[in-house]
């Protein structure tokens, strides 16, 4: 089995789904943001405040490549990991990429009380709409696309597993 890499906008459920998917498959789960926090010794909001987004994205790129060498695993990424072409290329080369998405209304509902995301400062609804517009199409490269809106965790995991199996049968994994 190859690495399974979950991408998608913030609030789509990547970490929650990733943990459940890894448990279901009996493989390791790693979270890219958690690895950055551990390596840098501070929270992501602190990292943004101290060094800026470019520094964070550089750290993200370095750790993405390192973590994907440790597979097979389920790796969950931050929503902006796909903003660099080199990250997309690494993900496609080292695993099967699964994009999670949800409706704008669902994302706003899920994120409205989340204070841990520096890119949402200044009003969650407005920032979600702006960032979704800026990132339109950014996750389309993923060969597997799963809508998490209104679905149970179990249903999402089952859908991913079915699509991964189907791709393996077709020799696309």
């Amino acid at each position: 089995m190859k690495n399974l890499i979950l991408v998608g906008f913030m609030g789509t459920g990547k970490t929650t789904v990733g943990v459940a998917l890894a448990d279901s498959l009996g493989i390791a789960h790693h979270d890219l943001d958690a690895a950055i926090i551990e390596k840098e010794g501070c929270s992501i909001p602190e990292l943004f405040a101290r060094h800026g987004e470019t520094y964070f994205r550089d750290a993200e790129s370095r750790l993405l490549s390192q973590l994907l060498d440790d597979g097979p695993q389920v790796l969950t990424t931050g929503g902006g990991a796909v903003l660099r072409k080199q990250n997309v290329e690494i993900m496609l080369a080292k695993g099967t990429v699964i994009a999670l998405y949800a409706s704008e209304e669902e994302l706003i509902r899920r994120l409205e009380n989340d204070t841990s995301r520096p890119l949402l400062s200044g009003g969650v609804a407005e920032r979600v709409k702006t960032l979704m517009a800026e990132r339109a199409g950014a996750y389309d490269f993923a060969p597997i696309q799963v809508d998490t809106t209104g679905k149970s965790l179990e249903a999402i995991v089952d859908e991913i597993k079915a699509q991964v199996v189907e791709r393996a049968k077709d020799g696309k994994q």
Side-chain angles (χ1 to χ4, degrees):
M1 175 181 282
K2 290 175 94 175
N3 292 309
L4 299 178
I5 306 152
L6 298 182
V7 300
F9 195 79
M10 64 183 93
T12 55
K14 296 179 300 290
T15 302
T16 301
V17 170
V19 169
L21 180 61
D23 286 347
S24 175
L25 295 171
I27 60 176
H29 168 259
H30 293 105
D31 182 82
L32 184 54
D33 283 350
I36 293 167
I37 291 166
E38 182 178 328
K39 178 89 171 164
E40 295 292 329
C42 65
S43 72
I44 291 173
E46 288 175 296
L47 199 58
F48 266 70
R50 287 183 195 167
H51 303 289
E53 185 173 0
T54 300
Y55 180 92
F56 171 78
R57 297 292 174 207
D58 290 344
E60 183 176 58
S61 294
R62 280 191 307 276
L63 283 170
L64 173 67
S65 184
Q66 291 171 13
L67 286 171
L68 287 174
D69 287 337
D70 295 336
Q73 66 187 310
V74 174
L75 178 68
T76 49
T77 66
V82 302
L83 299 177
R84 288 191 172 173
K85 185 180 179 196
Q86 70 191 48
N87 292 349
V88 170
E89 291 168 353
I90 289 167
M91 287 186 265
L92 288 170
K94 294 187 177 186
T96 299
V97 185
I98 302 138
L100 302 183
Y101 63 95
S103 70
E104 183 179 286
E105 297 78 23
E106 179 73 7
L107 293 173
I108 292 168
R109 185 190 65 73
R110 291 177 186 176
L111 295 167
E112 63 189 348
N113 295 314
D114 189 337
T115 59
S116 69
R117 300 174 192 265
L119 291 177
L120 290 181
S121 61
V124 171
E126 182 179 317
R127 291 298 297 148
V128 165
K129 290 175 185 180
T130 300
L131 287 169
M132 284 184 77
E134 288 173 3
R135 294 182 184 175
Y139 308 103
D140 292 351
F141 74 94
I144 297 175
Q145 301 277 325
V146 177
D147 186 355
T148 64
T149 306
K151 293 180 184 172
S152 70
L153 181 57
E154 182 179 351
I156 296 165
V157 168
D158 289 345
E159 184 175 341
I160 292 170
K161 286 169 53 177
Q163 289 195 48
V164 168
V165 167
E166 190 61 35
R167 286 186 58 76
K169 283 182 188 173
D170 292 343
K172 294 179 182 175
Q173 186 169 356

